[in-house]
Amino acid sequence: MKYCAVLTMDNLVESNNEDKLLDQPMLDIGWKTEHVSWRSSSVKWEKYQAVIIRSTWDYQDNADAFIQVLSDIENSSVQLLNPLKIAKWNINKQYLKEVSQKGAEIIPTIWVDRFEFDKIDFYFQLFNTKQIVIKPTISANSENTFWIDKATYSDSRDELIQSLNDKQLMVQPFIPAIIEEGEYSLFYFADQLSHCVLKTPKKGDFRVQEDYGSTLTKVQANQGLQKAGSKALQSLPEKVLYARIDLVEYQGSYKLMEIELIEPSLYFNLDETAPERFVKAFENWHK
């Protein structure tokens, strides 16, 4: 029997989260999975033959400590998936600069080293829009992400300064398709498209995560989505076990929102055959 740690966060170790759907397919190929918090100080990584990073959804609260844990795992000669190099590359959304230079089409973006409230009006002018989105380059689950309206943003001055101060940021025009249609997520296991999910925010919101009441629907990825997804995948610095490509329609084509390689929800619960495909990709990867 081989052992695989499924890396998660404290309050998900014992919960019945979607990653538990991997347990039986992994056992079927001779691997016992153990769900372990990345914050645990008592784990002996040498016990495992592989560690899969999964639902570590609080890593942004202490990104340096998270990367150190991943370094400890990789230095223990355990196979880390996705690997440390990819995690370091993907943890800051400035990777979007690199992938756009390699052919992936991204949303127009301004990169900001520090937040200055007085520059918000300039962002509206630059994008020629009345609504923008400001978010940290290191974040998860839309934390500290703001949908800002030109007519009312002054009312949120204190909140914006308190939330965004001392953070590296990205500024983008708000994309109407997010609330009109939704955001598409394409899931790839070892470069092969597994499934596609449409995430539609609840009325009055723009955040597509389940925590904010969004609707999730399994859909077939059309040719445009698959083409954009392939471009994004080809822009990565190396091959990965799993990737989630988030896309949205903008100005007549699908544009890349994010490439999630560290801790994306893979929505195993929406496709009953997806866990088996993931495990098959893992089995081939580990040979």
Side-chain angles (χ1 to χ4, degrees):
M1 182 70 67
K2 297 180 181 179
Y3 289 85
C4 176
V6 179
L7 214 57
T8 186
M9 53 192 282
D10 285 344
N11 62 357
L12 291 181
V13 172
E14 301 298 333
S15 70
N16 190 28
N17 67 82
E18 67 169 40
D19 293 331
K20 297 291 179 71
L21 295 173
L22 294 173
D23 293 352
Q24 188 58 51
M26 288 287 283
L27 195 59
D28 291 343
I29 64 167
W31 285 79
K32 180 174 175 53
T33 52
E34 295 183 358
H35 298 258
V36 178
S37 171
W38 72 269
R39 293 181 181 274
S40 176
S41 59
S42 61
V43 181
K44 304 299 183 184
W45 300 114
E46 294 82 1
K47 169 184 177 180
Y48 304 101
Q49 284 75 51
V51 175
I52 302 175
I53 309 171
R54 287 302 309 120
S55 304
T56 57
W57 295 331
D58 60 347
Y59 78 87
Q60 72 278 6
D61 297 334
N62 198 338
D64 290 341
F66 178 67
I67 290 297
Q68 183 58 57
V69 169
L70 300 188
S71 298
D72 292 343
I73 294 171
E74 196 156 278
N75 289 336
S76 70
S77 299
V78 177
Q79 185 179 36
L80 179 66
L81 300 167
N82 286 322
L84 174 64
K85 178 181 176 181
I86 280 292
K88 286 181 174 180
W89 180 83
N90 193 230
I91 200 167
N92 189 309
K93 293 180 178 60
Q94 291 209 33
Y95 69 80
L96 289 168
K97 293 181 185 179
E98 180 179 330
V99 300
S100 67
Q101 294 169 354
K102 294 182 177 180
E105 298 182 44
I106 70 170
I107 303 299
T109 304
I110 300 172
W111 304 94
V112 181
D113 288 332
R114 65 184 181 90
F115 179 66
E116 295 180 68
F117 182 84
D118 293 340
K119 286 191 174 181
I120 290 181
D121 195 56
F122 165 72
Y123 302 145
F124 287 113
Q125 294 178 34
L126 188 64
F127 290 128
N128 190 28
T129 185
K130 294 182 179 180
Q131 295 181 321
I132 59 174
V133 172
I134 300 180
K135 55 187 173 182
T137 58
I138 299 179
S139 69
N141 206 32
S142 289
E143 184 177 1
N144 292 318
T145 297
F146 291 89
W147 176 14
I148 299 175
D149 189 280
K150 186 175 183 180
T152 60
Y153 78 88
S154 294
D155 298 339
S156 304
R157 178 187 178 94
D158 291 345
E159 181 183 10
L160 289 168
I161 291 174
Q162 182 178 355
S163 300
L164 300 177
N165 191 38
D166 297 327
K167 290 182 173 62
Q168 195 177 55
L169 304 168
M170 53 195 297
V171 184
Q172 298 174 326
F174 177 71
I175 309 302
I178 288 287
I179 57 175
E180 295 169 356
E181 182 178 8
E183 178 182 280
Y184 293 90
S185 289
L186 277 66
F187 302 89
Y188 293 86
F189 304 150
D191 285 351
Q192 298 299 309
L193 178 62
S194 169
H195 55 293
C196 177
V197 170
L198 174 63
K199 301 173 291 185
T200 306
K202 71 177 183 181
K203 187 174 182 179
D205 206 335
F206 72 105
R207 295 166 296 186
V208 297
Q209 291 81 8
E210 292 174 89
D211 292 350
Y212 303 111
S214 66
T215 300
L216 307 176
T217 309
K218 181 188 172 186
V219 297
Q220 291 294 321
N222 62 36
Q223 289 187 349
L225 285 168
Q226 292 188 46
K227 181 178 179 181
S230 294
K231 278 187 177 181
L233 206 62
Q234 291 166 10
S235 71
L236 300 184
E238 63 180 76
K239 300 291 186 181
V240 294
L241 171 61
Y242 62 84
R244 191 183 86 192
I245 311 296
D246 294 336
L247 302 164
V248 65
E249 195 280 327
Y250 180 66
Q251 294 185 343
S253 64
Y254 293 105
K255 301 294 193 296
L256 177 64
M257 294 287 285
E258 291 190 39
I259 302 175
E260 297 275 9
L261 306 174
I262 300 175
E263 41 62 59
S265 177
L266 300 175
Y267 299 120
F268 291 137
N269 56 320
L270 296 183
D271 187 324
E272 64 180 11
T273 57
E276 285 78 9
R277 287 194 292 273
F278 183 95
V279 169
K280 183 64 176 178
F282 168 81
E283 183 179 28
N284 292 334
W285 198 277
H286 192 76
K287 287 179 179 178

